[in-house]
Amino acid sequence: DDLAGKIVLGYDFISSLKIANDGDRRDPDPSDPGDWTEAGECYRDSPRSPSSWHGSHTAGTIGAASDNGVGVAGVSWGAKILPIRALGTCGGYTSDIVDGARWAAGLEVPDVPANSNRAQVLNFSLGGTGSCSRTEQDAYDAITAAGTTVVVSAGNSSRNAEDFSPASCDNVITVAATQREGYLAYYSNFGKVVDISAPGGFTIPARGGVLSTVDSGLTTPAEDSYAFYQGTSMSAPHVAGVAALLIGENPDFSPAQV
């Protein structure tokens, strides 16, 4: 109920059949089939894990319905969510992330229908080790030139964010995580490339994580539910939600003004 009526038509950009986990590759259905894994599936000795419903959690922080007597309140209660699938079982590819980002911002992607719902803010609750690649930087430059603001997670390795991407890219807002009292969360990356911090949660008992929308299914979708998570994946959508509020009040704001 918290996301009912909030979703506009997105796209599934996962090019790998194994990663997609939905029986096909790129297609117009961005719904999450679950990203559960068996032991050893992703790499040698990798643990068995249930589905995370990670995208649903970040979407709720941005735009869950407010004042409806259910669940949680999103930061930007008027925002619409454009879902893009780029990561799935065991992760994904930078090429899929970049294509999804470009398409979300209304830019052309070969062999994919044009996007009729250009996003004004992109939330990237994802990342990996290594500095920003030319492929990524070119994409974020084009996206911001097109008028779309990009918000990204700093990363959860308690290291300098300049060694991670897209946190180290230019033309993005890089978000670190604070814990309940406002101090830097123990897991959060940090450094000069960080632009701002926001609540990321701290799930040690009685300390409190970020509560948001998920699915109750351990593998495939089951029923709407809620869960406490922690991470810079949770802090970034707080900032993306604020960016949406700013643009709602100032529709002509450029990414630089945001």
Side-chain angles (χ1 to χ4, degrees):
D1 288 343
D2 254 344
L3 293 175
K6 294 279 187 173
I7 309 299
V8 298
L9 185 63
Y11 207 86
D12 179 356
F13 278 88
I14 298 178
S15 57
S16 162
L17 192 62
K18 174 178 171 55
I19 292 172
N21 200 32
D22 61 358
D24 55 22
R25 296 178 174 84
R26 293 188 173 185
D27 66 79
D29 180 8
S31 57
D32 187 357
D35 60 355
W36 79 95
T37 59
E38 300 297 337
E41 183 175 356
C42 296
Y43 53 88
R44 184 176 179 179
D45 297 329
S46 64
R48 186 178 188 274
S49 65
S51 291
S52 67
W53 314 114
H54 185 271
S56 297
H57 198 278
T58 59
T61 296
I62 294 169
S66 299
D67 200 24
N68 62 344
V70 175
V72 296
V75 174
S76 182
W77 50 91
K80 297 290 187 180
I81 304 296
L82 175 76
I84 303 294
R85 280 198 81 207
L87 300 178
T89 301
C90 301
Y93 299 112
T94 298
S95 55
D96 291 344
I97 295 170
V98 166
D99 279 355
R102 293 178 62 90
W103 187 86
L107 302 177
E108 181 180 354
V109 175
D111 301 320
V112 178
N115 175 16
S116 59
N117 295 298
R118 182 183 75 83
Q120 293 172 285
V121 181
L122 302 187
N123 180 80
F124 283 83
S125 287
L126 53 80
T129 55
S131 57
C132 186
S133 68
R134 174 47 55 189
T135 298
E136 291 173 291
Q137 191 59 67
D138 287 348
Y140 301 135
D141 290 347
I143 288 166
T144 54
T148 293
T149 298
V150 182
V151 179
V152 307
S153 297
N156 303 323
S157 299
S158 190
R159 290 169 52 190
N160 195 317
E162 69 182 10
D163 297 323
F164 294 79
S165 67
S168 60
C169 296
D170 295 327
N171 279 327
V172 302
I173 300 172
T174 300
V175 187
T178 59
Q179 39 92 313
R180 187 170 183 170
E181 288 78 20
Y183 302 109
L184 185 73
Y186 75 90
Y187 53 79
S188 180
N189 287 351
F190 49 82
K192 292 182 179 179
V193 300
V194 171
D195 297 292
I196 194 168
S197 299
F202 193 30
T203 55
I204 290 175
R207 300 286 289 194
V210 174
L211 182 67
S212 191
T213 48
V214 293
D215 192 281
S216 64
L218 294 179
T219 55
T220 57
E223 297 179 350
D224 295 342
S225 187
Y226 299 88
F228 290 98
Y229 286 179
Q230 71 173 28
T232 56
S233 282
M234 287 61 252
S235 58
H238 280 90
V239 174
V242 172
L245 289 174
L246 286 170
I247 294 169
E249 289 296 308
N250 306 276
D252 296 328
F253 261 24
S254 69
Q257 287 173 303
V258 172

